[in-house]
Amino acid sequence: MPKITVDGREIEVAADTMLLPALIEAGIHVPHYCWHPKLSIDGSCRMCQVEVEGSPKLVIACNTPVRDGMVVRTDTPRVANARRGVMELLLVNHPIDCPICDKAGECLLQDYSYSFGTRFTRTEEPRRKLEKRKEIGPRMILDQERCILCRRCVRFCREITKTNELGVFNMGDRSVLDVLPDAPLANDYSMNTADICPVGALETKDFHHKLRVWFLKKTPSICPSCSNGCNITIQHYRNQIWRLMPRRNDAVNDTWMCDHGRLQYAFAHDTNRLRLPMVRRGEQLVASTWEDAVAEASRILRDGVKRSGPERVALLASPHLTNEELFRLAQLADVLQLRHVDTPVVVGQGDDFLIQPEKAANIAGARELGLVPRNGGRDAAGILELARQGSLDVLYVCGSDIARIFDEAVWKAALRAVPQLIVQDLFLEPIAALATVALPSLSWAEKTGTFTNRKRRVQQIHRALAPVEGQWSDGEIFTRMLAHLSEGRWEFEPAAVFEEITRKYPAYTGLSFAGLGLQGKTLAGAEV
Ligand code: FES
């Protein structure tokens, strides 16, 4: 590995790399706008200039390869003067409308202005007037006055999505970022351009003027929308999610996520969520205590198996549950000796980048942990058919994916024909309203645990929103049912249950909940 000296300190850096990423990797901050770790080098902003011994001029660190023995200075008056000059140039026409800019608080122009700029302007001429709040796509707004022409967004559309919607038009001081009139920025990843915009030129409609970013709390998690398991940060304030942002994981999603996944979060704080357990009394579903509702559901399952055998009892698990919850649910199926077990998943469109056809984050985990037909048992379609024929006495449905997978006539006829229906879901409609016992579920944002993605990478999610006081998590529900239906002490604590999984499944051997860290770990034997 080459050794270089930076500001008098010798460091080892990776070979065949440019100076800027090497310095960043070594924890040495060099300001930069146009460079991005996942895009080609543009070298246009000139903010990353440093002194290199033997070079008569300052060089841009983002486009200077490291050499063994290189002597670099990032802290000289000459470098400071160059940064001040760049900042002055970038701010000559900038509107400085930070009080109404969504980026304020996380804007590199603002931050570098404080750190490296001057506190005054030397120009009196009016600033350039361009389009503000221009709708350039279904989810994106452009403010041309704020753009510093770093072209990160242009390269994103050229190199990552290969859709080429954005471009810099005109020349010199008339240069302007824009889209062609008949080609809006409408690709499935368009909102990433707002993330990589170092200023507030590109903003998402979804977050526009909603909240100042410094109020947001950030919780690392996984996108729940498909089986890719993109790493994200849930950004929340006052128990409400305000935005989902991608989190870097080079093994899963680099630094990107799709627009669809990014926009699927409002259900978590929907005020129509089912929050109280309900038990059917005649025609009516009436609110119940958690203890009574779970005892009633357990009694229905036990009596169903006792009366007519496990053949007439079936379980549909949810691919939105965590591995720890699914492990307990699989134990419940074991205790009841169920054969008709399955985890139905919505299948939709995918692409050759991040979007996967299976629209749930933990379908791989459900399969890994045995929530599949057992000993010749029926799959989801077969279970609904058994129900419709009157061959099931009890059906336990977790989640409402069947309402999106099967025709309404099919699932309704099946559920109506089952004498005892237990439903665990986020909402009363469409399925829990038909239940004998309805148990509220928690969303992914309200719990801690793990998901396994399509490449069998196990990744942590963390609680961002506090559930309603007293609400049991899905794992607690399954655990209490197990306590009703079997001997022994059952508890639900995600890290301890994960430990149980590692003892039971050889592929998990050597993993620990804490050891998964923020980037996750791939199961033994997985194709990477
Ligand atoms: Fe090096 Fe822009 S980051 S020139």
Side-chain angles (χ1 to χ4, degrees):
M1 285 168 72
K3 286 196 176 107
I4 63 172
T5 305
V6 184
D7 301 333
R9 180 156 74 93
E10 192 175 74
I11 55 169
E12 273 193 354
V13 294
D16 301 324
T17 181
M18 293 295 166
L19 189 52
L20 181 59
L23 296 177
I24 292 171
E25 181 69 28
I28 299 163
H29 182 68
V30 173
H32 55 277
Y33 290 115
C34 67
W35 181 83
H36 185 278
K38 298 294 171 185
L39 300 173
S40 64
I41 296 166
D42 201 58
S44 59
C45 75
R46 320 309 285 181
M47 193 61 190
C48 66
Q49 294 178 83
V50 293
E51 270 185 32
V52 172
E53 206 172 87
S55 172
K57 292 185 186 169
L58 296 179
V59 300
I60 50 170
C62 65
N63 204 19
T64 302
V66 291
R67 265 184 291 109
D68 196 32
M70 201 175 205
V71 178
V72 182
R73 294 222 65 107
T74 70
D75 59 355
T76 63
R78 210 170 146 217
V79 170
N81 193 40
R83 289 173 184 166
R84 243 189 332 270
V86 171
M87 286 307 302
E88 186 170 27
L89 188 68
L90 291 177
L91 288 168
V92 161
N93 276 307
H94 192 79
I96 319 195
D97 55 352
C98 310
I100 56 156
C101 178
D102 291 340
K103 201 78 171 188
E106 56 182 13
C107 172
L108 290 184
L109 196 65
Q110 201 176 40
D111 292 349
Y112 292 168
S113 184
Y114 281 113
S115 307
F116 308 111
T118 51
R119 298 294 175 93
F120 56 87
T121 174
R122 291 190 285 163
T123 57
E124 289 177 351
E125 293 76 14
R127 285 160 192 255
R128 194 163 72 137
K129 290 281 166 233
L130 291 168
E131 282 209 71
K132 294 185 81 70
R133 293 190 202 96
K134 177 176 180 177
E135 280 210 28
I136 54 166
R139 297 172 288 282
M140 293 300 302
I141 311 167
L142 168 64
D143 185 319
Q144 292 175 327
E145 290 182 352
R146 293 179 190 155
C147 177
I148 60 167
L149 301 171
C150 72
R151 291 191 287 230
R152 279 184 177 185
C153 55
V154 177
R155 281 172 283 147
F156 175 81
C157 293
R158 191 173 64 215
E159 297 163 12
I160 306 297
T161 61
K162 301 184 173 58
T163 44
N164 291 306
E165 298 99 330
L166 285 164
V168 174
F169 298 84
N170 302 332
M171 293 176 72
D173 69 348
R174 306 223 169 137
S175 299
V176 64
L177 179 72
D178 211 339
V179 287
L180 290 168
D182 54 351
L185 180 60
N187 69 64
D188 289 336
Y189 298 88
S190 68
M191 295 165 84
N192 290 283
T193 57
D195 304 342
I196 59 174
C197 179
V199 298
L202 287 160
E203 297 178 324
T204 67
K205 288 186 190 173
D206 185 57
F207 189 64
H208 189 51
H209 289 179
K210 290 258 178 81
L211 190 73
R212 304 314 322 222
V213 298
W214 48 85
F215 291 119
L216 292 166
K217 295 185 179 64
K218 297 173 183 173
T219 303
S221 188
I222 300 299
C223 175
S225 291
C226 85
S227 60
N228 199 57
C230 291
N231 289 214
I232 61 164
T233 306
I234 300 176
Q235 305 207 352
H236 52 102
Y237 175 63
R238 292 193 170 161
N239 224 31
Q240 180 174 333
I241 299 174
W242 293 84
R243 63 180 181 180
L244 303 181
M245 298 277 280
R247 182 165 54 84
R248 183 169 178 178
N249 186 335
D250 291 350
V252 181
N253 55 303
D254 286 342
T255 57
W256 321 119
M257 72 183 296
C258 75
D259 292 358
H260 175 80
R262 193 189 291 255
L263 293 171
Q264 296 302 307
Y265 61 80
F267 70 91
H269 50 244
D270 192 319
T271 49
N272 289 322
R273 285 261 308 269
L274 179 62
R275 292 296 192 182
L276 275 179
M278 308 193 91
V279 175
R280 187 163 295 281
R281 299 283 175 246
E283 289 296 295
Q284 298 286 317
L285 269 178
V286 294
S288 162
T289 63
W290 277 97
E291 283 79 5
D292 288 352
V294 170
E296 177 81 356
S298 310
R299 186 195 60 72
I300 289 171
L301 287 165
R302 186 187 52 229
D303 291 355
V305 170
K306 231 188 217 169
R307 201 171 45 240
S308 20
E311 279 306 302
R312 295 185 66 86
V313 179
L315 166 66
L316 291 173
S318 166
H320 306 287
L321 295 170
T322 65
N323 284 324
E324 296 68 31
E325 293 163 346
L326 289 165
F327 182 71
R328 284 279 185 263
L329 186 57
Q331 289 175 314
L332 192 67
D334 293 344
V335 164
L336 294 166
Q337 298 182 321
L338 303 185
R339 292 201 306 130
H340 304 311
V341 177
D342 199 10
T343 310
V345 61
V346 175
V347 177
Q349 294 287 320
D351 64 14
D352 55 5
F353 187 31
L354 300 179
I355 303 169
Q356 299 304 314
E358 291 185 314
K359 304 299 177 193
N362 203 24
I363 183 62
R367 290 174 185 144
E368 192 90 34
L369 298 172
L371 276 308
V372 290
R374 299 156 165 213
N375 305 322
R378 300 290 188 94
D379 64 5
I383 288 170
L384 292 185
E385 181 55 20
L386 284 179
R388 193 192 61 77
Q389 291 166 357
S391 305
L392 285 185
D393 291 341
V394 183
L395 177 57
Y396 184 3
V397 183
C398 296
S400 54
D401 282 13
I402 55 168
R404 294 167 62 203
I405 298 168
F406 299 97
D407 286 344
E408 189 174 343
V410 171
W411 66 259
K412 272 198 173 155
L415 299 195
R416 285 195 173 124
V418 183
Q420 306 271 33
L421 176 67
I422 303 163
V423 178
Q424 193 162 316
D425 201 359
L426 293 172
F427 295 92
L428 193 60
E429 296 293 344
I431 287 185
L434 303 173
T436 316
V437 178
L439 300 168
S441 199
L442 284 184
S443 75
W444 104 113
E446 294 158 303
K447 51 197 179 190
T448 294
T450 61
F451 286 157
T452 304
N453 82 351
R454 70 192 175 99
K455 291 188 174 173
R456 298 179 72 224
R457 191 177 187 86
V458 185
Q459 309 186 97
Q460 288 179 353
I461 61 165
H462 294 275
R463 174 178 284 182
L465 306 183
V468 168
E469 209 182 322
Q471 182 163 352
W472 293 3
S473 74
D474 301 79
E476 285 173 272
I477 295 170
F478 304 140
T479 303
R480 305 269 189 142
M481 284 185 177
L482 279 162
H484 280 288
L485 296 171
S486 64
E487 303 293 313
R489 260 173 66 85
W490 294 93
E491 283 179 5
F492 189 78
E493 198 283 308
V497 178
F498 188 81
E499 171 89 35
E500 288 181 51
I501 297 174
T502 63
R503 285 199 297 269
K504 176 161 181 190
Y505 290 93
Y508 286 76
T509 306
L511 297 185
S512 71
F513 189 76
L516 295 175
L518 284 176
Q519 300 274 295
K521 290 266 186 317
T522 302
L523 292 179
E527 274 177 49
V528 182

